[in-house]
Amino acid sequence: MSSTISNYQPLKWLFALAVLYTLYLAQSLFIPILFSGFIALLLSPPVKLLKTFYIPRTVSSFVLLALLVAPFTFLASELVEPAQKWAQLLPKITVQLNQKIDNISDEFDNQKQQVEAEVAARNKKAEKFSFFGLFSSDKPQPKKAPETDGNTVEKHIKQSGIKLLIAGLSSAPLFLAQCFGCLILILFLLIYGPSVYIAARSFPHIANKKKLDSIVYEVQKVLSKYIITISVINFILGAASAIAFAFLGLDDPILWGALVGLLNFVPYVGSAISIVILTLVGSVQFGLTLFALVPAFAFLCINILESQLLTPMVLGTKMQLNPLVTILWLFFLGWLWGMLGVLLAVPILVSIKLTLERLKLLTHWVTFIEAKA
């Protein structure tokens, strides 16, 4: 018996590698489906509620999807101009920072040369008192490194910025096509999803249909509540940060408030990225002074209040995930699916945890996911 089980171990590893390889290759298929599924879960309760008031699913789905898309479209249109301005400034900002770093490096080199000159002068004085120079210790002077041309570095940075801009423009049609495909898929999931689920529920190999209904209902209810709550919290975080940035005199505060609110969907890592970006923006606008750190410090204070007080108070302990497990899962899906995988990581992990809990499977993994400090 044990030999039979050991023979199946390599097959399990091969199957796991095959699944992982398939997920990596078919990311352009799985990511839109998962994203559309989460948005459909978010909008399903209000669609179901409106149906009780004799409003057809088609009408309510169109209206709710339009109400969801309209604010983001308006915000994106308002942020296009400042985003383009900062995108054009990016190569210049990089060159300026590089020049400042070079100036600091030159000052250190000058001080080093002065120290070396003083040491050399002392050695020459010591040689005069040596016995016919027999005890002098002349050391070969190090060769100076060839000076780099600043123009070459500047040209290289500008070329890199142009390449990045061209890559972004070339990927824009595919991104727009995927967004349009996601909207169509969300609409069809809202309209025809329940009927497809009822038809799939009648398959003969599904024995316990009540248990399946309870699992689907639980996942839909909890995940919908989680997505709505996190979205509202991140909106409050972004709005509070934008007000603080405007008070501090930072240019385009709405842009940076929207950016930190969007990055906050990625736990822990998103806040760190926001702090780095705000530090760079503050250094560009206010120069290399202590005041350049004030926008990042203001966001850090707001983020600490949100993460330590607001989010635990609203979500409670039931939806809390172990930070280490969350970080590892973020790295894994980021490696597998890129930035979109990072954004989808937490909802996927919550869905896996809820499903395993309801099925009472792999309880040790559930305990591992929600392990408390």
Side-chain angles (χ1 to χ4, degrees):
M1 184 69 180
S2 59
S3 61
T4 305
I5 295 175
S6 61
N7 290 334
Y8 280 105
Q9 291 297 329
L11 294 177
K12 291 181 179 180
W13 285 108
L14 288 175
F15 178 75
L17 290 175
V19 170
L20 189 65
Y21 190 65
T22 304
L23 290 174
Y24 177 76
L25 287 181
Q27 57 180 294
S28 59
L29 173 65
F30 288 117
I31 291 177
I33 291 176
L34 288 173
F35 179 78
S36 303
F38 288 134
I39 300 299
L41 281 176
L42 177 66
L43 298 178
S44 289
V47 169
K48 187 177 180 180
L49 177 64
L50 291 174
K51 191 179 179 181
T52 59
F53 294 96
Y54 303 100
I55 298 176
R57 297 187 67 91
T58 304
V59 176
S60 59
S61 300
F62 269 105
V63 172
L64 288 173
L65 192 59
L67 291 176
L68 181 66
V69 172
F72 289 99
T73 305
F74 175 76
L75 183 63
S77 63
E78 291 294 321
L79 296 180
V80 165
E81 184 176 352
Q84 288 179 345
K85 181 188 74 174
W86 284 95
Q88 292 174 356
L89 287 175
L90 184 61
K92 298 179 180 179
I93 292 170
T94 310
V95 171
Q96 290 175 0
L97 291 176
N98 185 65
Q99 289 176 350
K100 290 179 180 179
I101 293 172
D102 289 341
N103 292 334
I104 295 173
S105 178
D106 290 340
E107 291 180 2
F108 279 112
D109 290 339
N110 292 333
Q111 292 179 359
K112 183 179 179 181
Q113 290 176 1
Q114 290 177 0
V115 172
E116 290 178 351
E118 292 177 0
V119 171
R122 291 175 184 174
N123 291 335
K124 288 181 180 179
K125 290 181 180 179
E127 288 176 2
K128 294 180 180 179
F129 296 98
S130 61
F131 186 73
F132 298 107
L134 294 176
F135 300 101
S136 62
S137 57
D138 292 334
K139 296 182 179 179
Q141 296 293 330
K143 296 181 180 179
K144 292 184 179 180
E147 297 182 356
T148 57
D149 189 3
N151 294 328
T152 305
V153 177
E154 184 175 349
K155 288 179 182 178
H156 179 70
I157 293 173
K158 289 183 178 180
Q159 289 176 357
S160 301
I162 293 172
K163 289 180 181 178
L164 184 62
L165 181 61
I166 293 173
L169 292 175
S170 62
S171 61
L174 178 61
F175 177 74
L176 293 176
Q178 288 180 340
C179 291
F180 181 74
C182 286
L183 291 177
I184 298 298
L185 185 56
I186 293 168
L187 190 62
F188 275 75
L189 284 173
L190 290 173
I191 297 173
Y192 302 106
S195 59
V196 171
Y197 169 72
I198 293 173
R201 183 177 173 273
S202 63
F203 285 178
H205 63 273
I206 300 177
N208 197 341
K209 294 179 174 57
K210 290 184 178 180
K211 191 172 185 179
L212 176 63
D213 292 340
S214 65
I215 293 172
V216 172
Y217 175 75
E218 180 75 14
V219 171
Q220 179 181 0
K221 178 183 176 182
V222 175
L223 199 60
S224 177
K225 178 184 176 182
Y226 174 79
I227 294 174
I228 293 174
T229 306
I230 289 298
S231 300
V232 172
I233 290 173
N234 291 340
F235 174 78
I236 295 173
L237 174 73
S241 301
I243 293 172
F245 298 154
F247 179 77
L248 293 173
L250 191 67
D251 292 341
D252 303 316
I254 299 178
L255 173 65
W256 306 120
L259 182 63
V260 298
L262 180 62
L263 288 174
N264 204 53
F265 279 96
V266 183
Y268 312 112
V269 179
S271 301
I273 295 174
S274 298
I275 291 173
V276 172
I277 292 174
L278 291 173
T279 303
L280 292 175
V281 172
S283 301
V284 170
Q285 182 171 344
F286 304 115
L288 294 177
T289 59
L290 288 177
F291 193 77
L293 302 176
V294 174
F297 179 74
F299 167 74
L300 179 61
C301 295
I302 297 172
N303 182 253
I304 290 174
L305 291 175
E306 173 267 322
S307 60
Q308 301 299 322
L309 296 178
L310 182 60
T311 300
M313 181 177 63
V314 175
L315 285 179
T317 58
K318 185 178 179 181
M319 294 301 298
Q320 295 300 312
L321 304 173
N322 184 268
L324 178 59
V325 176
T326 305
I327 288 291
L328 294 175
W329 183 251
L330 288 172
F331 284 153
F332 173 72
L333 278 192
W335 165 77
L336 189 66
W337 287 344
M339 191 60 196
L340 292 176
V342 172
L343 291 175
L344 293 173
V346 175
I348 293 174
L349 186 60
V350 171
S351 302
I352 294 173
K353 173 179 171 290
L354 291 174
T355 305
L356 293 178
E357 278 182 344
R358 296 296 297 177
L359 290 174
K360 296 181 180 179
L361 295 173
L362 303 175
T363 54
H364 53 285
W365 281 106
V366 176
T367 306
F368 177 74
I369 291 172
E370 60 182 11
K372 298 179 182 179

